[in-house]
PDB file of all heavy atoms in Angstrom:
ATOM      1  N   TYR A  50     -13.128  -6.928  -8.304  1.00  0.00           N
ATOM      2  CA  TYR A  50     -12.251  -5.755  -8.357  1.00  0.00           C
ATOM      3  C   TYR A  50     -11.138  -5.844  -7.306  1.00  0.00           C
ATOM      4  O   TYR A  50      -9.978  -5.567  -7.583  1.00  0.00           O
ATOM      5  CB  TYR A  50     -13.071  -4.471  -8.184  1.00  0.00           C
ATOM      6  CG  TYR A  50     -12.207  -3.241  -8.122  1.00  0.00           C
ATOM      7  CD1 TYR A  50     -11.471  -2.827  -9.226  1.00  0.00           C
ATOM      8  CD2 TYR A  50     -12.088  -2.502  -6.940  1.00  0.00           C
ATOM      9  CE1 TYR A  50     -10.638  -1.721  -9.169  1.00  0.00           C
ATOM     10  CE2 TYR A  50     -11.267  -1.400  -6.870  1.00  0.00           C
ATOM     11  CZ  TYR A  50     -10.548  -1.007  -7.985  1.00  0.00           C
ATOM     12  OH  TYR A  50      -9.716   0.083  -7.919  1.00  0.00           O
ATOM     13  N   PRO A 103      -2.021   2.457  -0.537  1.00  0.00           N
ATOM     14  CA  PRO A 103      -3.131   3.240  -1.099  1.00  0.00           C
ATOM     15  C   PRO A 103      -4.021   2.335  -1.949  1.00  0.00           C
ATOM     16  O   PRO A 103      -3.541   1.603  -2.803  1.00  0.00           O
ATOM     17  CB  PRO A 103      -2.416   4.267  -1.988  1.00  0.00           C
ATOM     18  CG  PRO A 103      -1.126   3.605  -2.375  1.00  0.00           C
ATOM     19  CD  PRO A 103      -0.743   2.759  -1.190  1.00  0.00           C
ATOM     20  N   MET A 104      -5.291   2.361  -1.681  1.00  0.00           N
ATOM     21  CA  MET A 104      -6.237   1.593  -2.499  1.00  0.00           C
ATOM     22  C   MET A 104      -7.484   2.427  -2.762  1.00  0.00           C
ATOM     23  O   MET A 104      -7.964   3.143  -1.889  1.00  0.00           O
ATOM     24  CB  MET A 104      -6.604   0.277  -1.804  1.00  0.00           C
ATOM     25  CG  MET A 104      -5.466  -0.751  -1.878  1.00  0.00           C
ATOM     26  SD  MET A 104      -5.863  -2.244  -0.987  1.00  0.00           S
ATOM     27  CE  MET A 104      -5.844  -1.621   0.674  1.00  0.00           C
ATOM     28  N   ALA A 105      -8.001   2.272  -3.966  1.00  0.00           N
ATOM     29  CA  ALA A 105      -9.155   3.038  -4.407  1.00  0.00           C
ATOM     30  C   ALA A 105     -10.424   2.579  -3.682  1.00  0.00           C
ATOM     31  O   ALA A 105     -10.497   1.445  -3.214  1.00  0.00           O
ATOM     32  CB  ALA A 105      -9.333   2.841  -5.912  1.00  0.00           C
ATOM     33  N   TYR A 106     -11.399   3.470  -3.608  1.00  0.00           N
ATOM     34  CA  TYR A 106     -12.808   3.117  -3.369  1.00  0.00           C
ATOM     35  C   TYR A 106     -13.093   2.287  -2.110  1.00  0.00           C
ATOM     36  O   TYR A 106     -13.760   1.245  -2.181  1.00  0.00           O
ATOM     37  CB  TYR A 106     -13.353   2.332  -4.574  1.00  0.00           C
ATOM     38  CG  TYR A 106     -13.064   2.871  -5.936  1.00  0.00           C
ATOM     39  CD1 TYR A 106     -12.823   2.005  -7.002  1.00  0.00           C
ATOM     40  CD2 TYR A 106     -13.044   4.241  -6.209  1.00  0.00           C
ATOM     41  CE1 TYR A 106     -12.573   2.471  -8.278  1.00  0.00           C
ATOM     42  CE2 TYR A 106     -12.787   4.719  -7.486  1.00  0.00           C
ATOM     43  CZ  TYR A 106     -12.550   3.826  -8.514  1.00  0.00           C
ATOM     44  OH  TYR A 106     -12.299   4.281  -9.780  1.00  0.00           O
ATOM     45  N   SER A 132      -5.446   7.156  -1.149  1.00  0.00           N
ATOM     46  CA  SER A 132      -5.423   7.088  -2.621  1.00  0.00           C
ATOM     47  C   SER A 132      -6.062   8.326  -3.235  1.00  0.00           C
ATOM     48  O   SER A 132      -7.030   8.870  -2.695  1.00  0.00           O
ATOM     49  CB  SER A 132      -6.198   5.848  -3.091  1.00  0.00           C
ATOM     50  OG  SER A 132      -6.453   5.911  -4.475  1.00  0.00           O
ATOM     51  N   VAL A 134      -7.936   8.160  -5.660  1.00  0.00           N
ATOM     52  CA  VAL A 134      -9.304   7.766  -5.972  1.00  0.00           C
ATOM     53  C   VAL A 134     -10.040   7.223  -4.742  1.00  0.00           C
ATOM     54  O   VAL A 134     -10.798   6.262  -4.813  1.00  0.00           O
ATOM     55  CB  VAL A 134      -9.373   6.787  -7.171  1.00  0.00           C
ATOM     56  CG1 VAL A 134      -9.339   7.542  -8.472  1.00  0.00           C
ATOM     57  CG2 VAL A 134      -8.244   5.786  -7.157  1.00  0.00           C
ATOM     58  N   GLN A 163      -1.250   9.482  -1.963  1.00  0.00           N
ATOM     59  CA  GLN A 163      -0.846   8.847  -3.234  1.00  0.00           C
ATOM     60  C   GLN A 163      -1.429   9.633  -4.395  1.00  0.00           C
ATOM     61  O   GLN A 163      -2.624   9.915  -4.429  1.00  0.00           O
ATOM     62  CB  GLN A 163      -1.338   7.396  -3.280  1.00  0.00           C
ATOM     63  CG  GLN A 163      -1.051   6.676  -4.599  1.00  0.00           C
ATOM     64  CD  GLN A 163      -2.213   6.751  -5.576  1.00  0.00           C
ATOM     65  OE1 GLN A 163      -3.370   6.790  -5.159  1.00  0.00           O
ATOM     66  NE2 GLN A 163      -1.933   6.794  -6.871  1.00  0.00           N
ATOM     67  N   TYR A 165      -2.315  10.065  -8.409  1.00  0.00           N
ATOM     68  CA  TYR A 165      -2.461   9.706  -9.822  1.00  0.00           C
ATOM     69  C   TYR A 165      -2.486  11.005 -10.593  1.00  0.00           C
ATOM     70  O   TYR A 165      -3.165  11.957 -10.210  1.00  0.00           O
ATOM     71  CB  TYR A 165      -3.764   8.932 -10.057  1.00  0.00           C
ATOM     72  CG  TYR A 165      -3.645   7.443  -9.807  1.00  0.00           C
ATOM     73  CD1 TYR A 165      -4.608   6.764  -9.088  1.00  0.00           C
ATOM     74  CD2 TYR A 165      -2.566   6.720 -10.319  1.00  0.00           C
ATOM     75  CE1 TYR A 165      -4.502   5.396  -8.864  1.00  0.00           C
ATOM     76  CE2 TYR A 165      -2.453   5.357 -10.098  1.00  0.00           C
ATOM     77  CZ  TYR A 165      -3.422   4.704  -9.375  1.00  0.00           C
ATOM     78  OH  TYR A 165      -3.316   3.361  -9.161  1.00  0.00           O
ATOM     79  N   THR A 191       2.335   7.293  -8.036  1.00  0.00           N
ATOM     80  CA  THR A 191       2.262   5.931  -8.592  1.00  0.00           C
ATOM     81  C   THR A 191       2.654   5.974 -10.058  1.00  0.00           C
ATOM     82  O   THR A 191       2.076   6.716 -10.857  1.00  0.00           O
ATOM     83  CB  THR A 191       0.851   5.355  -8.393  1.00  0.00           C
ATOM     84  OG1 THR A 191       0.603   5.293  -6.985  1.00  0.00           O
ATOM     85  CG2 THR A 191       0.733   3.950  -8.976  1.00  0.00           C
ATOM     86  N   VAL A 194       1.121   2.822 -13.604  1.00  0.00           N
ATOM     87  CA  VAL A 194      -0.186   2.819 -14.271  1.00  0.00           C
ATOM     88  C   VAL A 194      -0.188   3.815 -15.436  1.00  0.00           C
ATOM     89  O   VAL A 194      -0.973   4.768 -15.449  1.00  0.00           O
ATOM     90  CB  VAL A 194      -1.334   3.137 -13.273  1.00  0.00           C
ATOM     91  CG1 VAL A 194      -2.707   2.926 -13.927  1.00  0.00           C
ATOM     92  CG2 VAL A 194      -1.250   2.254 -12.034  1.00  0.00           C
ATOM     93  N   MET A 197      -4.361   1.518 -17.537  1.00  0.00           N
ATOM     94  CA  MET A 197      -4.889   0.525 -16.600  1.00  0.00           C
ATOM     95  C   MET A 197      -4.601  -0.882 -17.104  1.00  0.00           C
ATOM     96  O   MET A 197      -4.809  -1.172 -18.284  1.00  0.00           O
ATOM     97  CB  MET A 197      -6.411   0.671 -16.501  1.00  0.00           C
ATOM     98  CG  MET A 197      -6.848   1.757 -15.581  1.00  0.00           C
ATOM     99  SD  MET A 197      -6.904   1.170 -13.890  1.00  0.00           S
ATOM    100  CE  MET A 197      -8.491   0.361 -13.898  1.00  0.00           C
ATOM    101  N   ARG A 200      -8.016  -6.262 -16.004  1.00  0.00           N
ATOM    102  CA  ARG A 200      -8.439  -7.287 -15.051  1.00  0.00           C
ATOM    103  C   ARG A 200      -9.696  -7.922 -15.626  1.00  0.00           C
ATOM    104  O   ARG A 200     -10.730  -7.264 -15.748  1.00  0.00           O
ATOM    105  CB  ARG A 200      -8.701  -6.676 -13.683  1.00  0.00           C
ATOM    106  CG  ARG A 200      -7.448  -6.015 -13.052  1.00  0.00           C
ATOM    107  CD  ARG A 200      -7.547  -4.522 -13.109  1.00  0.00           C
ATOM    108  NE  ARG A 200      -6.294  -3.828 -12.788  1.00  0.00           N
ATOM    109  CZ  ARG A 200      -6.243  -2.744 -12.018  1.00  0.00           C
ATOM    110  NH1 ARG A 200      -7.326  -2.272 -11.453  1.00  0.00           N
ATOM    111  NH2 ARG A 200      -5.095  -2.146 -11.845  1.00  0.00           N
ATOM    112  N   ASP A 203     -13.131  -7.604 -14.055  1.00  0.00           N
ATOM    113  CA  ASP A 203     -13.726  -6.262 -14.151  1.00  0.00           C
ATOM    114  C   ASP A 203     -14.354  -6.034 -15.525  1.00  0.00           C
ATOM    115  O   ASP A 203     -15.408  -5.406 -15.642  1.00  0.00           O
ATOM    116  CB  ASP A 203     -12.670  -5.182 -13.888  1.00  0.00           C
ATOM    117  CG  ASP A 203     -12.187  -5.197 -12.445  1.00  0.00           C
ATOM    118  OD1 ASP A 203     -12.792  -5.905 -11.611  1.00  0.00           O
ATOM    119  OD2 ASP A 203     -11.195  -4.495 -12.157  1.00  0.00           O
ATOM    120  N   HIS A 231     -15.345   4.947 -12.403  1.00  0.00           N
ATOM    121  CA  HIS A 231     -14.167   4.122 -12.590  1.00  0.00           C
ATOM    122  C   HIS A 231     -13.759   4.138 -14.055  1.00  0.00           C
ATOM    123  O   HIS A 231     -12.627   4.408 -14.405  1.00  0.00           O
ATOM    124  CB  HIS A 231     -14.424   2.697 -12.130  1.00  0.00           C
ATOM    125  CG  HIS A 231     -13.225   1.823 -12.285  1.00  0.00           C
ATOM    126  ND1 HIS A 231     -12.110   1.983 -11.499  1.00  0.00           N
ATOM    127  CD2 HIS A 231     -12.939   0.834 -13.158  1.00  0.00           C
ATOM    128  CE1 HIS A 231     -11.202   1.099 -11.874  1.00  0.00           C
ATOM    129  NE2 HIS A 231     -11.680   0.397 -12.871  1.00  0.00           N
ATOM    130  N   TYR A 234     -12.693   7.625 -15.235  1.00  0.00           N
ATOM    131  CA  TYR A 234     -11.382   7.985 -14.745  1.00  0.00           C
ATOM    132  C   TYR A 234     -10.306   7.232 -15.516  1.00  0.00           C
ATOM    133  O   TYR A 234      -9.363   7.799 -16.045  1.00  0.00           O
ATOM    134  CB  TYR A 234     -11.233   7.697 -13.238  1.00  0.00           C
ATOM    135  CG  TYR A 234      -9.853   8.075 -12.815  1.00  0.00           C
ATOM    136  CD1 TYR A 234      -9.536   9.413 -12.651  1.00  0.00           C
ATOM    137  CD2 TYR A 234      -8.847   7.134 -12.722  1.00  0.00           C
ATOM    138  CE1 TYR A 234      -8.244   9.787 -12.374  1.00  0.00           C
ATOM    139  CE2 TYR A 234      -7.556   7.502 -12.444  1.00  0.00           C
ATOM    140  CZ  TYR A 234      -7.263   8.832 -12.268  1.00  0.00           C
ATOM    141  OH  TYR A 234      -5.979   9.204 -12.023  1.00  0.00           O
ATOM    142  N   ALA A 235     -10.509   5.929 -15.602  1.00  0.00           N
ATOM    143  CA  ALA A 235      -9.464   5.089 -16.176  1.00  0.00           C
ATOM    144  C   ALA A 235      -9.234   5.400 -17.646  1.00  0.00           C
ATOM    145  O   ALA A 235      -8.116   5.307 -18.140  1.00  0.00           O
ATOM    146  CB  ALA A 235      -9.828   3.623 -15.990  1.00  0.00           C
ATOM    147  N   HIS A 239      -6.818   9.808 -16.795  1.00  0.00           N
ATOM    148  CA  HIS A 239      -5.493   9.372 -16.401  1.00  0.00           C
ATOM    149  C   HIS A 239      -4.480   9.746 -17.475  1.00  0.00           C
ATOM    150  O   HIS A 239      -4.712   9.539 -18.653  1.00  0.00           O
ATOM    151  CB  HIS A 239      -5.546   7.857 -16.223  1.00  0.00           C
ATOM    152  CG  HIS A 239      -4.445   7.343 -15.384  1.00  0.00           C
ATOM    153  ND1 HIS A 239      -4.459   7.451 -14.014  1.00  0.00           N
ATOM    154  CD2 HIS A 239      -3.295   6.731 -15.712  1.00  0.00           C
ATOM    155  CE1 HIS A 239      -3.355   6.913 -13.539  1.00  0.00           C
ATOM    156  NE2 HIS A 239      -2.633   6.472 -14.555  1.00  0.00           N
ATOM    157  N   HIS A 286       2.029  -3.199  -8.231  1.00  0.00           N
ATOM    158  CA  HIS A 286       0.613  -2.860  -8.082  1.00  0.00           C
ATOM    159  C   HIS A 286      -0.220  -4.095  -7.714  1.00  0.00           C
ATOM    160  O   HIS A 286      -1.359  -4.258  -8.150  1.00  0.00           O
ATOM    161  CB  HIS A 286       0.095  -2.244  -9.386  1.00  0.00           C
ATOM    162  CG  HIS A 286      -0.935  -1.160  -9.193  1.00  0.00           C
ATOM    163  ND1 HIS A 286      -0.620   0.174  -9.186  1.00  0.00           N
ATOM    164  CD2 HIS A 286      -2.266  -1.217  -9.000  1.00  0.00           C
ATOM    165  CE1 HIS A 286      -1.724   0.880  -9.014  1.00  0.00           C
ATOM    166  NE2 HIS A 286      -2.730   0.065  -8.891  1.00  0.00           N
ATOM    167  N   ARG A 289      -1.659  -6.190 -10.610  1.00  0.00           N
ATOM    168  CA  ARG A 289      -2.837  -5.691 -11.330  1.00  0.00           C
ATOM    169  C   ARG A 289      -2.488  -4.945 -12.608  1.00  0.00           C
ATOM    170  O   ARG A 289      -3.370  -4.532 -13.346  1.00  0.00           O
ATOM    171  CB  ARG A 289      -3.635  -4.750 -10.416  1.00  0.00           C
ATOM    172  CG  ARG A 289      -4.215  -5.437  -9.203  1.00  0.00           C
ATOM    173  CD  ARG A 289      -4.562  -4.475  -8.086  1.00  0.00           C
ATOM    174  NE  ARG A 289      -5.729  -3.648  -8.311  1.00  0.00           N
ATOM    175  CZ  ARG A 289      -6.985  -4.058  -8.149  1.00  0.00           C
ATOM    176  NH1 ARG A 289      -7.222  -5.294  -7.785  1.00  0.00           N
ATOM    177  NH2 ARG A 289      -7.993  -3.232  -8.335  1.00  0.00           N
ATOM    178  N   GLN A 290      -1.212  -4.757 -12.849  1.00  0.00           N
ATOM    179  CA  GLN A 290      -0.829  -3.963 -14.017  1.00  0.00           C
ATOM    180  C   GLN A 290      -0.205  -4.847 -15.097  1.00  0.00           C
ATOM    181  O   GLN A 290      -0.908  -5.522 -15.796  1.00  0.00           O
ATOM    182  CB  GLN A 290       0.065  -2.804 -13.558  1.00  0.00           C
ATOM    183  CG  GLN A 290      -0.744  -1.708 -12.848  1.00  0.00           C
ATOM    184  CD  GLN A 290      -1.759  -1.105 -13.803  1.00  0.00           C
ATOM    185  OE1 GLN A 290      -2.970  -1.340 -13.706  1.00  0.00           O
ATOM    186  NE2 GLN A 290      -1.271  -0.331 -14.758  1.00  0.00           N
TER     187      GLN A 290
HETATM  188  C1  COI B   4      -8.802   3.751 -10.474  1.00  0.00           C
HETATM  189  C2  COI B   4      -7.655   2.766 -10.532  1.00  0.00           C
HETATM  190  C3  COI B   4      -6.518   3.342 -11.322  1.00  0.00           C
HETATM  191  C4  COI B   4      -7.293   2.324  -9.130  1.00  0.00           C
HETATM  192  C5  COI B   4      -6.185   1.303  -9.050  1.00  0.00           C
HETATM  193  O1  COI B   4      -5.055   1.632  -8.862  1.00  0.00           O
HETATM  194  C6  COI B   4      -6.447  -0.119  -9.141  1.00  0.00           C
HETATM  195  O2  COI B   4      -7.605  -0.522  -9.306  1.00  0.00           O
HETATM  196  O3  COI B   4      -5.478  -0.908  -9.075  1.00  0.00           O
END
Side-chain angles (χ1 to χ4, degrees):
Y50 175 66
M104 286 177 292
Y106 313 144
S132 167
V134 277
Q163 176 266 328
Y165 275 135
T191 298
V194 188
M197 279 275 278
R200 298 106 192 222
D203 292 350
H231 181 70
Y234 179 76
H239 200 78
H286 215 96
R289 296 160 73 80
Q290 286 298 107

